[in-house]
Amino acid sequence: MTAALLAGLLAGYGIAVPVGAVGTYLVSLSARTSLRTGVSAALGVASADGLYALAAVLGGSALASALRPALGPLRWVCVLVLAALAAWGAAGAIRQYRGRRLATRVAPAPPGALRAYLTLLGITLLNPTTVIYFAALVLGSQGGSAAGAAEQAVFVTAAFVASASWQVLLAGGGALLGRALTGHRGRLATALVASGVMTALALRMALTPD
């Protein structure tokens, strides 16, 4: 049981700690909205990681083999999603900045907690890095399918908790950043930097050879 717990924690932190496009978007979203929205989005990311961990322990190596043909299409879907989010975030920030002197009612409504959760859940599920990570985890640990139900449950829960704790930390950092950059120019700069990073990551993903 202890081994399953440690393996789950390592798996969860292993996929969560490297801050890529998903982490960048999470920080930017928290900075532009609220801690509640950021935490909801963070739990969306962790839910996707937990689902992949569950699929890994239930599907075994057959799952990894089935995922290989889908990695190419998933990568291009993820590229398009990241590029769209980057453009949408930048356009929204510029529109809000230009309309800062207009009535508050014309400002775009920030995403709610549920929408933030579903958005980040979808992005993370489409992220080929997550797919490859858990596929490699399955292939590298063939004993997972022989583990008991209790050990599998501990592994999946630990992976989810580890991912959630890191993503919530990122969301909290984004919320603190948003409080520090309370001015219109500061929020515009934050959104544009995040959009630029996401665009660069999307381009790198698109140019990476299969």
Side-chain angles (χ1 to χ4, degrees), residues 48 52 68 110 146 180 194 206:
Y52 273 122
R68 283 197 189 97

Side-chain angles (χ1 to χ4, degrees), residues 23-137:
T24 301
Y25 182 71
L26 174 60
V27 172
S28 173
L29 179 67
S30 302
R32 291 183 286 110
T33 55
S34 65
L35 179 60
R36 179 172 178 268
T37 300
V39 169
S40 298
L43 293 178
V45 179
S47 295
D49 290 342
L51 287 173
Y52 273 122
L54 177 62
V57 299
L58 294 180
S61 57
L63 172 66
S65 300
L67 285 175
R68 283 197 189 97
L71 292 180
L74 277 177
R75 184 178 58 142
W76 286 106
V77 170
C78 193
V79 167
L80 293 176
V81 170
L82 289 176
L85 284 173
W88 183 27
I94 293 173
R95 185 170 59 248
Q96 189 172 19
Y97 176 75
R98 288 178 174 174
R100 66 190 184 280
R101 293 190 179 92
L102 300 179
T104 305
R105 60 184 175 85
V106 303
L114 179 59
R115 195 173 95 186
Y117 174 86
L118 294 176
T119 299
L120 269 294
L121 173 64
I123 294 172
T124 310
L125 287 175
L126 290 174
N127 187 358
T129 302
T130 309
V131 179
I132 293 169
Y133 177 82
F134 280 105
L137 184 66

